[in-house]
Amino acid sequence: MRRKVLAVLLAVGMVGSLAACGGDSSTSNSGGDSQKSETSSGSGTSTSGSETADIDTSEHVVVTYLTIGDKPNNSANEEILAQLNEILTEKVNAELDVYSIGWTDYMSNYRLTLTQMDGSVDLVSAADWMEEWALSKDGAFLPLTEDMLATYCPITYSEVPEDHWNMCKYNGEIMFIPEDSYTQRTNHGFIYRLDWAKEAGLEDGVHSWADLTEYFKWVKANKEDVIPWDVCGGNSVWEDLGGWLLSNVDEMLWGVGPSNTGCVIKENEEYKVYNQYFEYRDELVEYAKLMKEWDEIGVWRTDVLNNTSSDNRSDYRIGKTSVDQHHTQTWTDLVSPGMASNTIYQDDPDAESGFFWFGEEKNHIANESCVHGTMAISAASENPERALMVYDLLRNDPECYRLINYGIEGKQYAINEDGERYVPDTYNKETDEFMFDFWEGRTDKNELKDSRLNWDAIDAMYETLDAAGIDNPYLQFVFDQDPVQTQISNVTQVTDKYMKLLTYGKYDGTAEEFIDTFLNELKSAGVEDIDNEVQSQLNAFYGTSETAAPIE
């Protein structure tokens, strides 16, 4: 089993924009799954909790699944659910209803739905980038006892190892079911035109920020109709700075506090809190200088801070921009000529896509926690036991699994002679696209390999990332923000003000002056109070007696 994904942003204390990852990596519809399957036979047990003795399923119930994603304006979801519910009714006398929250302002709507506690939802899509720990603290989710899991979710319970269940605990109680047996990686980096890099003299491709700068210069000089990076000004500011630090700091950094306040622990100094903005002031200055250089090269639009209309990923697919900054799973899509929307490969038979991953220079990449994507039960659910039984089927029964992940065979997908799935010629995106975003129950044993993907390149990249990845030892620490909420709000205002200017080189004066002004405002906002509170809570959690590093 290879379950490796991100902690690049977590590793540098910058997890605020992970929501965008969820928005772009939907794997429910038949047109977008770019994940690897360890087995493609689809074989697996079809037993479920319903076959455990003494479970009363005489009353038919509706289990509502709360998920995040933009539901297409067609009837495909309903058609798939009709077939799925026939199976669920037969096996556990229940049916599934899906309540979708769109990506626009998704976190506010998600939080509101859960905190109403009106019993309207049962199964809940949860994740470390969706405030699952804060919502656990607020009582939004039902604690799951081992007896409950063993009785009503027996296959999943038996297959999830004890240490993964432990990682899903809050205050000693299991709050989530992990997505821990599905191969993926969502560490961020720059996807780029490898064929253009070779033309620029980078024969081995882009493997450093210096290489990337040379690549951008060449693109600007040689591709008249291409914007090197047509990024929207509100995007990627956290990932870019985090990536720079991963590539330029000698030690791995583990984020342990609020996402944008800079609280980190160094890999070789257990439990002592540093603030990355102050500890790595010189690295921030060098980053500011590089971003000013990129701005002067013309890497992005001159009005980048006001640009909200660009679709950089779509432009990459058709050759109008030279990079896309996102994660490995997005690259697995963009590197594949079999994806019809990637017209660069039809237009130019020499086209290739490389991936410069953040931390590559230092071999810094963190393995993902099994709580990156999880399933929870609403604390207000009126049918938690039946919800667990339904989940066990969706995750483990091959027929249910294919319906919720791939749709209806012959309509949304088909299977070739090699046992790989593909999109049939009859597929119509307008009428057949669907959305369930069931990432919390994906598992390699039931995956069908996507025939459209460039598996030679993908497998080689996975091997490289697997060899470099290390585990984050602090994932069970949950910071209580309440004692310093005012300071966190103040610091957030400062980082919101300065981070875009920094990332797009749009600051006045020298890099040194800009960074020092930024740091002084962080001090005034109370960032040191946050550092000290994080240290105090870490000491209480781990039984240590460290003192947070002073800021200067």
Side-chain angles (χ1 to χ4, degrees):
M1 177 186 72
R2 225 195 301 160
R3 118 191 118 64
K4 311 269 188 177
V5 214
L6 166 73
V8 168
L9 305 184
L10 184 62
V12 293
M14 301 286 187
V15 298
S17 58
L18 267 176
C21 300
D24 263 20
S25 58
S26 167
T27 59
S28 305
N29 65 51
S30 62
D33 187 355
S34 57
Q35 320 301 337
K36 177 177 170 63
S37 169
E38 294 293 326
T39 59
S40 59
S41 66
S43 62
T45 180
S46 61
T47 60
S48 75
S50 64
E51 295 176 17
T52 303
D54 301 325
I55 296 178
D56 181 5
T57 59
S58 58
E59 180 185 358
H60 184 79
V61 301
V62 175
V63 171
T64 300
Y65 164 45
L66 171 61
T67 187
I68 308 296
D70 296 320
K71 179 183 174 183
N73 187 25
N74 59 36
S75 60
N77 270 33
E78 287 71 23
E79 293 171 0
I80 295 166
L81 281 175
Q83 292 198 19
L84 177 60
N85 283 332
E86 287 184 13
I87 302 169
L88 296 178
T89 297
E90 177 187 351
K91 291 181 178 287
V92 294
N93 199 20
E95 62 183 273
L96 187 70
D97 186 31
V98 177
Y99 179 69
S100 303
I101 292 177
W103 286 110
T104 301
D105 200 20
Y106 76 95
M107 198 62 231
S108 296
N109 293 325
Y110 174 79
R111 192 185 303 109
L112 177 62
T113 301
L114 288 177
T115 55
Q116 285 176 338
M117 301 294 284
D118 59 1
S120 60
V121 296
D122 302 290
L123 290 170
V124 179
S125 176
D128 54 10
W129 50 270
M130 289 166 60
E131 301 181 9
E132 64 184 4
W133 296 114
L135 287 163
S136 295
K137 175 179 175 291
D138 292 341
F141 304 128
L142 180 73
L144 304 173
T145 68
E146 293 196 40
D147 283 345
M148 283 179 66
L149 290 164
T151 302
Y152 301 106
C153 200
I155 302 174
T156 302
Y157 178 70
S158 66
E159 291 183 352
V160 172
E162 182 179 1
D163 59 329
H164 292 180
W165 286 124
N166 289 337
M167 294 301 296
C168 294
K169 289 182 178 180
Y170 179 76
N171 281 346
E173 295 181 304
I174 297 171
M175 306 304 298
F176 315 111
I177 303 173
E179 179 204 33
D180 66 337
S181 21
Y182 175 67
T183 300
Q184 62 176 334
R185 271 205 177 268
T186 55
N187 56 294
H188 277 240
F190 280 98
I191 302 152
Y192 64 92
R193 286 289 295 271
L194 178 56
D195 54 318
W196 290 356
K198 291 176 180 177
E199 289 185 56
L202 300 165
E203 289 298 324
D204 294 328
V206 172
H207 297 286
S208 69
W209 289 76
D211 288 347
L212 194 58
T213 303
E214 293 306 307
Y215 172 72
F216 282 143
K217 289 178 180 177
W218 183 90
V219 171
K220 188 66 177 177
N222 292 276
K223 297 293 180 181
E224 183 178 349
D225 297 329
V226 173
I227 298 173
W229 185 16
D230 197 12
V231 64
C232 291
N235 293 347
S236 75
V237 292
W238 301 113
E239 293 102 327
D240 297 342
L241 176 57
W244 172 260
L245 291 176
L246 280 174
S247 292
N248 289 277
V249 172
D250 288 335
E251 53 273 312
M252 191 72 172
L253 305 177
W254 303 114
V256 289
S259 61
N260 62 346
T261 59
C263 299
V264 298
I265 296 177
K266 296 181 182 180
E267 180 182 359
N268 298 317
E269 297 188 41
E270 293 182 339
Y271 310 122
K272 185 176 183 65
V273 173
Y274 290 82
N275 192 287
Q276 65 183 9
Y277 299 126
F278 295 87
E279 184 70 9
Y280 300 107
R281 181 259 184 193
D282 292 345
E283 285 78 6
L284 262 65
V285 168
E286 292 307 309
Y287 177 68
K289 290 178 179 178
L290 181 63
M291 295 302 100
K292 178 68 77 173
E293 181 181 357
W294 285 11
D295 185 49
E296 292 170 350
I297 290 170
V299 169
W300 37 68
R301 296 174 187 260
T302 56
D303 64 343
V304 62
L305 295 180
N306 298 315
N307 177 24
T308 59
S309 60
S310 293
D311 187 344
N312 189 79
R313 185 150 311 133
S314 294
D315 285 346
Y316 183 88
R317 295 181 190 277
I318 62 177
K320 288 187 176 181
T321 191
S322 72
V323 299
D324 183 21
Q325 192 278 90
H326 211 245
H327 53 55
T328 302
Q329 295 310 120
T330 299
W331 170 79
T332 64
D333 178 317
L334 296 179
V335 76
S336 300
M339 302 300 290
S341 55
N342 296 337
T343 60
I344 54 174
Y345 302 108
Q346 289 83 57
D347 297 339
D348 182 353
D350 295 324
E352 299 178 271
S353 291
F355 188 54
F356 163 52
W357 47 279
F358 291 152
E360 185 171 346
E361 300 95 320
K362 302 286 187 180
N363 244 19
H364 283 167
I365 180 174
N367 296 332
E368 193 220 344
S369 142
C370 62
V371 298
H372 180 71
T374 62
M375 185 67 81
I377 304 291
S378 169
S381 171
E382 296 178 1
N383 298 291
E385 296 86 0
R386 204 78 64 89
L388 287 171
M389 296 168 74
V390 166
Y391 174 82
D392 210 38
L393 280 170
L394 297 177
R395 176 171 173 143
N396 298 293
D397 181 274
E399 193 174 7
C400 294
Y401 188 94
R402 292 184 185 185
L403 281 166
I404 198 163
N405 286 291
Y406 306 139
I408 298 170
E409 186 174 356
K411 191 167 189 177
Q412 278 85 15
Y413 77 102
I415 302 174
N416 64 22
E417 60 186 11
D418 296 321
E420 298 176 341
R421 63 186 174 88
Y422 66 94
V423 179
D425 293 338
T426 55
Y427 177 80
N428 183 318
K429 182 178 174 67
E430 281 192 20
T431 60
D432 298 335
E433 183 180 26
F434 71 99
M435 190 292 300
F436 295 127
D437 278 356
F438 185 67
W439 62 68
E440 318 86 348
R442 295 174 297 183
T443 178
D444 284 340
K445 70 181 182 181
N446 282 324
E447 279 289 299
L448 293 173
K449 203 169 188 177
D450 191 333
S451 64
R452 299 168 297 175
L453 298 185
N454 181 355
W455 288 108
D456 289 342
I458 294 168
D459 286 340
M461 179 61 69
Y462 280 166
E463 289 176 9
T464 297
L465 299 177
D466 288 353
I470 58 176
D471 292 329
N472 184 340
Y474 302 102
L475 289 170
Q476 285 183 287
F477 172 69
V478 181
F479 179 64
D480 179 3
Q481 299 187 12
D482 290 349
V484 284
Q485 190 59 62
T486 299
Q487 292 91 326
I488 291 171
S489 297
N490 293 339
V491 167
T492 298
Q493 291 180 23
V494 174
T495 54
D496 285 349
K497 174 183 176 181
Y498 282 93
M499 203 56 62
K500 292 179 184 179
L501 300 175
L502 170 61
T503 298
Y504 300 114
K506 296 297 186 181
Y507 55 86
D508 296 323
T510 67
E512 289 84 356
E513 291 169 342
F514 175 76
I515 292 301
D516 287 342
T517 301
F518 171 49
L519 297 182
N520 285 333
E521 290 206 22
L522 285 176
K523 287 181 186 178
S524 299
V527 73
E528 195 163 18
D529 293 341
I530 301 171
D531 296 348
N532 291 331
E533 181 62 29
V534 172
Q535 185 68 75
S536 175
Q537 292 186 29
L538 273 165
N539 288 341
F541 187 81
Y542 290 106
T544 53
S545 56
E546 293 286 351
T547 301
I551 62 176
E552 299 177 359

